[in-house]
Amino acid sequence: MNQRYRITRTMQENNAEQAITLEECKQYFAEKDDFAYSTVLHVKGPESIMSIDGDFFMWSHGGNEIPFRLFSGDLYVAISNEAVVPKMIEIATDLRADIVEG
């Protein structure tokens, strides 16, 4: 099972901009060549495909797409590949946010 992490500003008491907004993410990820925005995530199972609605920033890495999901002012990502860790740290740093497990 993959570990899930949250990129958040909610732990920063003195930050007036605690929520990470959709507009902020769209602007930030638009500058990244290896990210694409999607409003639906398709998860393929052995016998079916499940579609999940939401705001996803899909990172293309090594032939795979890894979703970073914006939900309630935080970005969520599952560590399905070791390469996700430095990318997650880079994004959190750029967005002036913290990383929390869960």
Side-chain angles (χ1 to χ4, degrees):
M1 191 154 122
N2 299 331
Q3 287 182 288
R4 187 176 77 152
Y5 288 88
R6 180 170 55 119
I7 298 172
T8 184
R9 294 185 190 132
T10 58
M11 299 171 56
Q12 300 172 5
E13 294 178 16
N14 297 329
N15 189 345
E17 298 176 13
Q18 285 191 336
I20 299 171
T21 66
L22 178 58
E23 294 75 25
E24 180 182 13
C25 286
K26 283 183 174 180
Q27 182 179 4
Y28 173 76
F29 288 110
E31 299 172 359
K32 308 285 184 193
D33 292 337
D34 51 353
F35 276 89
Y37 174 69
S38 177
T39 56
V40 179
L41 173 66
H42 299 287
V43 180
K44 295 178 184 176
E47 298 179 15
S48 64
I49 298 175
M50 179 174 57
S51 298
I52 303 169
D53 293 330
D55 294 302
F56 297 93
F57 297 89
M58 304 301 292
W59 180 41
S60 295
H61 177 73
N64 295 316
E65 285 197 326
I66 300 164
F68 284 76
R69 182 180 189 189
L70 181 65
F71 184 77
S72 295
D74 294 330
L75 275 172
Y76 292 84
V77 64
I79 306 298
S80 56
N81 179 316
E82 285 298 315
V84 175
V85 175
K87 183 57 73 174
M88 174 182 64
I89 293 169
E90 173 189 329
I91 292 167
T93 301
D94 291 346
L95 295 177
R96 300 167 326 279
D98 301 304
I99 298 170
V100 179
E101 186 175 0

